[in-house]
Amino acid sequence: MRALRTGLLALLLAFGAVIAAEAQTTPAPSGNQPNPPAPLPFSDRGQPQADELELQLMLQGRREVGRITIPNQQAATLIQPAGREWRAFHNRTLAWVGGIAVLGMLALLAVFFLWRGRIRMHDGRSGRTLLRFNLLERANHWMVAGCFIILGLSGLNLTFGRHLLLPLVGPEAFSAVAQWGKYAHNFLAFPFTLGLLLMLLLWIKDNIPDRRDITWLRQGGGIVGSAHPPAARFNAGQKMVFWITILGGGAVAVSGYFLIFPFFATDIAGMQLSHIIHSVLAVLMIAAILAHIYIGTLGMEGAFDAMGSGQVDLNWAKEHHSLWVEQELAKGRDAPAPGGAKPV
């Protein structure tokens, strides 16, 4: 037993001597001497560091893509330099374009109203009417108009709401308005597009430009000045509104569908381009439609009747659409006297 204890003691002493010797040959790192870097994993040896790769790609203007194991390859994009340009457009450029277009148009209309006033019928109301738009045409017009108003307001809220509406109503109310506005913006895009297609079929034959439009524009169309140039069912100004609605609205709708269904038919660069096209055309259309609303309501006496009841006063029709009146009367669609039967 004594021999066993003696052997264990000798083994412990030898082990302690080995540890002491290693401590003397390998000095402990001081506070001024950094710890040696940990070795790279075998799969990363020989590859550039992440910060070096990021700097190289940034200088080259390229995307930095990582490695992922999920099917969505879009998630592999770590840094996309073009995204900075898109963010600058959304936060600054779009705000300036939208503000100048919408507020500028409102200012111009206010100045024009103060200068010109409401455009009255030269001979007053005759009490006799002609059917200008039937029920289908009016219903489709109001469907497109209603969708456009909600789409426009909800879209403007996405750009300006955080700066204008949020401070007034608070975060909770603004979140609710923004959420329901986004739902309405997505779902109303479909009836809006359907209405545009039906509008094209109903009115394209009467909106083909011709030589009379040049004369109408030269004489101010009865809006600027006192002349009332002859016009058919749609004058040059209404034709411009029609094609702005059809072409501009169609482009806004198509680019909007790329945003509703992300990455279905394009990549991130296409999504950013779609947003730029969608937003710029939308604010320009809003500005143009504001002028259309002004003329159809406050700006011109008798104009709202065309899309209200569908019946327009004969004197109004003669002043603004004399050629169309001649065509209607030649078809036997005479305007009845007050209290008479409605025209067909």
Side-chain angles (χ1 to χ4, degrees):
M1 182 61 90
R2 181 178 296 176
L4 180 59
R5 288 199 299 267
T6 304
L8 291 175
L9 180 59
L11 182 60
L12 291 174
L13 292 174
F15 185 71
V18 172
I19 293 177
E22 290 185 355
Q24 294 177 358
T25 56
T26 305
S30 62
N32 297 329
Q33 182 177 0
N35 294 326
L40 294 173
F42 289 105
S43 60
D44 292 338
R45 291 183 179 178
Q47 298 184 11
Q49 297 291 331
D51 53 351
E52 296 179 1
L53 180 61
E54 178 182 350
L55 178 60
Q56 294 175 8
L57 295 176
M58 183 180 65
L59 294 176
Q60 298 172 3
R62 296 164 50 194
R63 294 188 306 164
E64 181 175 348
V65 181
R67 295 188 296 270
I68 60 173
T69 58
I70 61 177
N72 183 13
Q73 293 300 318
Q74 297 292 338
T77 301
L78 301 177
I79 295 177
Q80 185 205 188
R84 300 187 184 97
E85 300 175 2
W86 171 83
R87 182 175 58 187
F89 163 81
H90 180 270
N91 293 340
R92 292 193 296 271
T93 307
L94 178 59
W96 278 102
V97 173
I100 292 174
V102 176
L103 297 180
M105 178 58 71
L106 290 175
L108 287 175
L109 293 176
V111 172
F112 181 79
F113 179 76
L114 294 175
W115 169 72
R116 183 69 166 85
R118 194 177 196 196
I119 302 173
R120 303 286 182 179
M121 298 183 198
H122 185 269
D123 297 326
R125 291 184 178 271
S126 67
R128 305 174 65 185
T129 61
L130 282 175
L131 177 64
R132 180 151 176 80
F133 296 114
N134 59 35
L135 179 60
L136 175 61
E137 292 173 315
R138 300 198 309 275
N140 185 69
H141 169 272
W142 288 116
M143 180 183 72
V144 174
C147 291
F148 181 82
I149 291 173
I150 298 176
L151 290 169
L153 291 176
S154 57
L156 290 174
N157 183 60
L158 294 176
T159 303
F160 301 101
R162 289 173 297 173
H163 309 289
L164 301 178
L165 187 60
L166 177 59
L168 296 178
V169 302
E172 292 80 8
F174 176 74
S175 298
V177 170
Q179 181 180 10
W180 286 104
K182 187 65 171 67
Y183 292 154
H185 200 90
N186 289 346
F187 287 105
L188 289 182
F190 299 98
F192 175 75
T193 306
L194 178 62
L196 288 180
L197 294 175
L198 183 56
M199 186 178 292
L200 178 65
L201 296 176
L202 289 173
W203 291 338
I204 186 173
K205 62 182 178 62
D206 297 318
N207 280 280
I208 303 301
D210 55 38
R211 294 180 178 178
R212 291 189 296 266
D213 297 330
I214 300 177
T215 303
W216 189 93
L217 292 172
R218 286 177 177 174
Q219 297 183 7
I223 299 176
V224 178
S226 58
H228 291 286
R233 192 184 188 194
F234 294 101
N235 56 43
Q238 293 165 335
K239 289 179 181 180
M240 286 191 293
V241 172
F242 173 82
W243 288 112
I244 288 174
T245 303
I246 295 298
L247 299 179
V252 169
V254 171
S255 58
Y257 288 132
F258 282 109
L259 302 177
I260 294 177
F261 304 102
F263 307 115
F264 179 77
T266 185
D267 56 4
I268 186 65
M271 291 284 294
Q272 293 169 352
L273 179 60
S274 298
H275 173 264
I276 293 174
I277 295 174
H278 184 82
S279 55
V280 171
L281 289 180
V283 294
L284 294 179
M285 277 194 65
I286 290 173
I289 297 302
L290 284 174
H292 174 64
I293 294 173
Y294 166 79
I295 292 296
T297 54
L298 181 64
M300 180 180 291
E301 180 186 11
F304 183 80
D305 297 338
M307 278 301 168
S309 64
Q311 306 283 341
V312 294
D313 189 86
L314 182 60
N315 285 344
W316 181 91
K318 287 180 178 180
E319 289 182 9
H320 300 288
H321 302 277
S322 58
L323 299 179
W324 172 72
V325 173
E326 294 175 2
Q327 295 171 357
E328 293 298 299
L329 296 180
K331 295 176 184 178
R333 298 175 179 176
D334 194 6
K342 290 293 183 183
V344 295

